[in-house]
Every structure is written in C-alpha cells, then in structure tokens.
Amino acid sequence: MKSWLLIVTLLFGISPVQAASSIAVAPALQQIVLNQEGETTQAHVQLKNNTESEVSFTLSAVNFGSLDDSSGLIFQGQGISQLDAQYSLTNWISISPSKVTIPPGLEVDIAVTVTNLPDLSPGGHYAAVLATTDSGAGIPNTVGLKQALSSLLFVTKKGGENYEEILSGISIPKTTLQLPDAVQIQVQNKGNVHIVPRGLVQVIGYGNQVVAQGAINEDSSLLLPGTNRWLKVPLHQTALLVWPGQYRVRVSLRYDGSDTLINQEKIISYTGIPLLGIIATLCLFGFVLILRRKKHRRSPSKV
C-alpha cells in the first residue's frame, strides 16, 4: 500500500524548512550534476536545534514528484509507479549518520553521498533527505507528533539528458473593457530533466508598439520532467495611452540555458472605455469653460 506525504508549499522559492519554529534544516534545495560514471559526489545538509532541549532525529531518503498544475510536491513512501521509478534517486544515495541527537543550540552536518553507477540513467533524478524527530521529543507544543523536515536534491546525470518544453495553453481574462493585467500560460516538460521556464509576454498594438509586458516565472520555479503547470504572468503597462482596437498577446517561451523561443499569439479586443471616458470628461470640461468665457464676454461692463 502506498504512503504519501503531500507538501503544498511553493517550489523552488523555498526557504530553510522549520519544524515548530525551533528546528531548522538547510539548504532547502541543492542541484547536483554528475558527469562520469563511477563518480561520487557529496552534498551536505545542516540540522540546527534552536530549542532548549536535545532532539533526536532519524535520517532517511525518499523519492519525490510534482503535482500537475500546482507547485506542490509528493514525497513517496512504499511502492512507486514506473514513471516515478524513472526519475528516482534513493537507490544511489547514502546518508551518514542515519541517526543523530543534537544538544540545544547546536548544529550537526549530515553527509549525503550520490554515486553515479552505470544503472543510473541519464537525465533528472529527485529525492529528499528527511529528518524525522522521535515523536516530538524535546520540541514544545507538538503533543507527541513526529516532525519531518526536508532538504531536496535535484540531480542531473549527463550523457543523454533531453530538454523539451511545450507551450500548451494561453489563458486571457475575457473582457474588452480593459487590457489584461495578467495572463496565464500552461507549460509542459516533455524532457527527462527539470527545467526553469523563462520568457516574456507582450501586448502589442498599432505599429508593433508594446503597450504592456511581463516576465515569465520571475520566481525561477523548476518544472520536473513529465509534468505541466499553469504559470501566472503579471503584466505592466508600458504605454502612456492605449487606444481602442485589436491587440496581439504574444508569448515567447524558452528555458534556462536555451536561446530557442517558442512563440504563440492570441488576438484580443479593447474598447478603450476608460480612455474614452477620460476624453469625454476633458471635452465636457473644455465645453463648460468655453461657455463661461463667452458668458463673461457678453456681460455688460459696470460703470
């Protein structure tokens, strides 16, 4: 039977994970590149006890995956699917020590060794180092609950990695009263290694003038292989005046390390009602001002 631990935290803008605001693990995320078979690489995880009592931990490794259309992670326990096995890592890492007791106010270094064996396939492999407390011992206000802290490992094995990014959807708010202040795009990772989507969304009007734009994935979120996600792109107006008419929303997508762009466009209409309202108000004000001046000129002079 599968056991799953679901984390609904934002990916890759992660700060050091804390349990009960008293135990910290760092770093939250590490990226490792393996080049030669037989090569051994060591990563380090620091556990710090900020409580007033000693705390005991059990260290373990668990494979993880990503939830589609969200920034959540799934930590997997017993049993894995074939897709998960393709990107698993736990069989090629070891942790030392596997158990540790940390006195109050001190920090312990945990060594994580990754071995590049021939049966480790090229591409991306993902696992988390979990530090689990012994039934909340030493941690206040935990009522005997076990606390699990995690540090994520993103490993890329060279020699067969495949990068393939697809722009599979563009969602624009349906309104003609104003230009969109944000656009959502759906990005798919069809490759076998994680990527960082990049690019630009532009709203283009008459004479190819860019009237609004926004950067894709400013948080530098990572997209795991075999997954897809909707990314929200806030837009910032760059033109002082935006006239009524049709506009093109152009999405130019790439990923970190690549200059090749995927371009898609959608046509939107803008009625310019806010702008027309401003113009009408100014015209009305000008008309009233002209009437007052004419009335003042016609008024008889006082002797």
Side-chain angles (χ1 to χ4, degrees):
M1 185 175 182
K2 294 183 179 180
S3 62
W4 302 88
L5 172 61
L6 173 62
I7 295 187
V8 198
T9 184
L10 285 180
L11 270 179
F12 322 124
I14 310 178
S15 57
V17 183
Q18 295 189 357
S21 301
S22 54
I23 304 293
V25 59
L29 182 154
Q30 298 183 69
Q31 296 198 58
I32 299 171
V33 177
L34 302 176
N35 293 300
Q36 302 293 329
E37 286 191 354
E39 157 186 39
T40 297
T41 301
Q42 197 168 78
H44 294 270
V45 175
Q46 289 76 42
L47 280 173
K48 187 171 184 180
N49 179 6
N50 295 314
T51 71
E52 297 179 354
S53 306
E54 69 175 23
V55 182
S56 296
F57 291 93
T58 298
L59 283 302
S60 61
V62 59
N63 298 312
F64 70 83
S66 176
L67 295 174
D68 280 348
D69 293 337
S70 81
S71 52
L73 289 181
I74 293 177
F75 287 359
Q76 203 166 22
Q78 298 177 350
I80 57 176
S81 68
Q82 186 174 359
L83 177 62
D84 293 321
Q86 180 181 352
Y87 303 113
S88 66
L89 181 61
T90 54
N91 290 340
W92 295 273
I93 65 176
S94 59
I95 301 173
S96 180
S98 59
K99 289 182 177 290
V100 64
T101 298
I102 309 176
L106 296 185
E107 182 177 288
V108 170
D109 184 83
I110 308 298
V112 183
T113 302
V114 183
T115 304
N116 187 0
L117 297 175
D119 58 348
L120 181 65
S121 61
H125 297 271
Y126 311 98
V129 177
L130 292 185
T132 307
T133 62
D134 294 341
S135 300
I139 302 179
N141 303 320
T142 57
V143 199
L145 296 176
K146 290 188 176 182
Q147 302 293 310
L149 301 89
S150 65
S151 180
L152 308 181
L153 299 178
F154 290 74
V155 174
T156 301
K157 179 173 179 176
K158 295 288 188 178
E161 63 273 32
N162 174 38
Y163 295 89
E164 186 179 354
E165 184 182 40
I166 294 177
L167 176 59
S168 54
I170 303 174
S171 177
I172 304 172
K174 294 182 178 179
T175 176
T176 61
L177 300 180
Q178 63 181 23
L179 290 178
D181 58 5
V183 169
Q184 293 200 66
I185 64 170
Q186 188 178 39
V187 183
Q188 288 186 329
N189 184 357
K190 292 287 190 178
N192 65 358
V193 68
H194 55 278
I195 57 175
V196 180
R198 297 291 187 195
L200 198 64
V201 176
Q202 296 176 309
V203 181
I204 303 170
Y206 301 106
N208 286 324
Q209 180 191 17
V210 176
V211 299
Q213 66 180 19
I216 296 172
N217 194 23
E218 289 187 312
D219 294 333
S220 298
S221 295
L222 289 160
L223 186 60
L224 296 185
T227 63
N228 67 83
R229 188 180 309 157
W230 283 97
L231 299 175
K232 184 177 181 179
V233 184
L235 300 178
H236 311 284
Q237 189 167 317
T238 58
L240 183 62
L241 291 176
V242 181
W243 299 101
Q246 286 194 328
Y247 288 82
R248 291 176 290 139
V249 177
R250 176 188 293 165
V251 178
S252 299
L253 179 69
R254 63 177 184 86
Y255 57 84
D256 266 356
S258 172
D259 295 325
T260 302
L261 291 173
I262 301 172
N263 294 302
Q264 283 190 29
E265 290 188 357
K266 275 193 171 183
I267 303 296
I268 61 172
S269 295
Y270 171 56
T271 59
I273 288 179
L275 177 61
L276 294 176
I278 293 173
I279 293 174
T281 302
L282 291 175
C283 290
L284 180 61
F285 178 78
F287 180 70
V288 171
L289 190 61
I290 291 171
L291 287 179
R292 284 186 176 181
R293 285 184 177 180
K294 286 184 177 181
K295 183 178 181 182
H296 178 72
R297 289 175 182 175
R298 292 175 182 175
S299 299
S301 301
K302 291 186 179 180
V303 179

